[in-house]
Amino acid sequence: MEEKITLGKFIMRKRREKGLTQKELAQRLYVTESAVSKWERGLSYPDISLVTGLCGELGITEHELVTASEDYHQRQVEKQARAYRRFTLGYVWATSALYLLSLLVCLIVNLALDRTLSWFFIVLFAEMTGYALSTLPVILPKWQLPGMLGGLFLSLNLLLAVCCLYTGGDWFLVSLTALLFSFCVVFAPLVLRTLPPPAPFARHKSLLCLTADTLLLFALLAAALSHEGAMAYFLPQACPVALYAVLLPWAFLAAIRYLRIHALFRTAVCLAFAGVHVLLLDGVLRVLLENERFTLPALHWGQWTEPWISGNVIWLCTFLLLGMAALFAAGGIALTVRGQRRAPAEAERQ
């Protein structure tokens, strides 16, 4: 009975705050005036089908009606949410108006000075790039990253295409491929985290990223060599050098993602491979680019001038990497042995 009286007083207070009579509230809810009177006197509860309408008319939440008290925290949250929506809407309108105003000024100036539209398109697509970075994420809150990246990639390519036409160049294909490669390297992991791939590939996102990076690297090499008229070097030199370069990240991926061993052993494998990769790099490049016989870098610890300094530095880096690999491997062995010793003791306790 006490709960009904408390609820009734709460309904009466909120009704009066809204400036409604019992008759007006009853008409809005399509109930009798006596039904409203019974609620407020604590003789009955409102029917459950009327809860949403009653809350709307009294300007309260369903939680406030059930508890018959003000939910100040929820009201504060809703107030902040409304303020944020007003701010974002104002920001979108303000930035859009500024971009349009500056474009209008540039349009008039370009026509007034040149009697035609020329550099205006460079300004147009440059401002599209800025708009994609500053305003598009606010317009697409649920698709902030994909929307921003898509708009940025499109506007940058349009800007480069216009610049290429304006300067009479023929380098747009190279810039397009370079942008594809750079966007894939930097943003593909973020996009795959936001928009995960289908189930069969969900556990191999790193593999998908590195595969795309590798293919786009070869596409970039082909575009650059084609632009320079040097496609004859693509297969005999550019591809082998690029393959040797990507061996290192591929080895890291295989060791870190797919080797089922302790993390210290995986680190040791990566460091050892990096040491060998650094040691062989100079000799491999000489074979591929200069058709010379493969040799290891010259080493002479007592001489740190040409031609010894390069070889000494390479060997020093190799020794450091291999030494670190040995330390991590020793740490992994120590932890493995300790775990094997603890296992029988824990089994006995159980």
Side-chain angles (χ1 to χ4, degrees):
M1 186 67 180
E2 238 177 76
E3 293 178 353
K4 287 182 180 179
I5 294 174
T6 303
L7 177 61
K9 289 181 178 178
F10 181 72
I11 293 175
M12 182 189 300
R13 178 161 59 86
K14 301 308 291 186
R15 173 179 63 79
R16 289 175 175 173
E17 287 178 2
K18 286 291 183 178
L20 297 173
T21 64
Q22 288 184 346
K23 184 177 181 179
E24 289 171 337
L25 180 60
Q27 289 174 344
R28 294 187 182 189
L29 296 175
Y30 302 101
V31 297
T32 63
E33 185 177 349
S34 64
V36 175
S37 176
K38 287 180 181 179
W39 299 342
E40 294 186 353
R41 286 182 291 149
L43 300 179
S44 66
Y45 286 121
D47 189 83
I48 192 169
S49 62
L50 298 173
V51 168
T52 302
L54 179 60
C55 290
E57 295 299 333
L58 299 180
I60 58 177
T61 66
E62 293 179 7
H63 179 266
E64 288 177 321
L65 180 65
V66 171
T67 59
S69 61
E70 305 278 0
D71 190 348
Y72 294 106
H73 176 70
Q74 182 63 27
R75 287 181 177 274
Q76 184 66 20
V77 170
E78 292 176 355
K79 182 179 178 181
Q80 291 175 352
R82 289 194 297 270
Y84 177 74
R85 285 195 293 270
R86 287 196 299 270
F87 171 77
T88 53
L89 184 62
Y91 173 80
V92 169
W93 280 105
T95 54
S96 300
L98 288 173
Y99 278 115
L100 287 174
L101 179 62
S102 62
L103 282 176
L104 181 61
V105 171
C106 290
L107 175 68
I108 295 172
V109 172
N110 192 194
L111 288 174
L113 294 179
D114 300 336
R115 301 294 189 272
T116 185
L117 292 178
S118 52
W119 51 263
F120 167 77
F121 294 104
I122 297 177
V123 177
L124 170 64
F125 295 122
E127 292 207 3
M128 279 182 60
T129 303
Y131 194 82
L133 285 170
S134 63
T135 310
L136 202 56
V138 181
I139 298 175
L140 303 172
K142 293 183 179 179
W143 301 87
Q144 280 186 339
L145 183 63
M148 185 269 288
L149 291 179
L152 180 61
F153 182 78
L154 176 63
S155 57
L156 277 175
N157 276 295
L158 289 172
L159 175 61
L160 290 169
V162 169
C163 290
C164 187
L165 291 173
Y166 189 75
T167 59
D170 58 350
W171 41 263
F172 176 69
L173 181 60
V174 179
S175 68
L176 171 63
T177 315
L179 271 179
L180 273 172
F181 175 68
S182 58
F183 267 65
C184 186
V185 170
V186 178
F187 299 117
L190 301 177
V191 172
L192 286 178
R193 179 171 292 185
T194 306
L195 303 172
F201 305 101
R203 297 181 59 229
H204 305 285
K205 290 184 284 190
S206 301
L207 180 63
L208 290 174
C209 289
L210 191 54
T211 301
D213 294 343
T214 303
L215 294 175
L216 287 172
L217 173 62
F218 284 100
L220 177 58
L221 287 172
L225 290 172
S226 176
H227 178 263
E228 296 298 323
M231 277 299 289
Y233 297 102
F234 180 68
L235 288 177
Q237 291 186 341
C239 284
V241 171
L243 279 173
Y244 187 79
V246 298
L247 274 178
L248 192 60
W250 274 101
F252 283 4
L253 173 66
I256 295 170
R257 188 69 181 83
Y258 297 105
L259 279 183
R260 301 301 179 187
I261 54 178
H262 194 278
L264 291 177
F265 289 125
R266 292 201 297 269
T267 305
V269 170
C270 292
L271 289 170
F273 191 89
V276 175
H277 192 272
V278 168
L279 180 63
L280 301 181
L281 176 62
D282 187 66
V284 169
L285 291 180
R286 289 178 184 275
V287 171
L288 295 176
L289 299 180
E290 300 176 14
N291 293 322
E292 296 182 0
R293 184 172 60 88
F294 177 80
T295 56
L296 292 175
L299 174 64
H300 195 305
W301 293 120
Q303 295 289 332
W304 286 86
T305 57
E306 293 294 343
W308 305 103
I309 186 170
S310 178
N312 289 349
V313 170
I314 291 174
W315 277 102
L316 182 60
C317 292
T318 301
F319 288 145
L320 287 173
L321 289 169
L322 293 178
M324 291 171 64
L327 288 175
F328 276 98
I333 293 171
L335 289 177
T336 303
V337 171
R338 184 184 299 176
Q340 290 174 348
R341 289 176 178 175
R342 285 181 179 176
E346 292 177 357
E348 287 178 6
R349 290 197 205 106
Q350 293 176 355

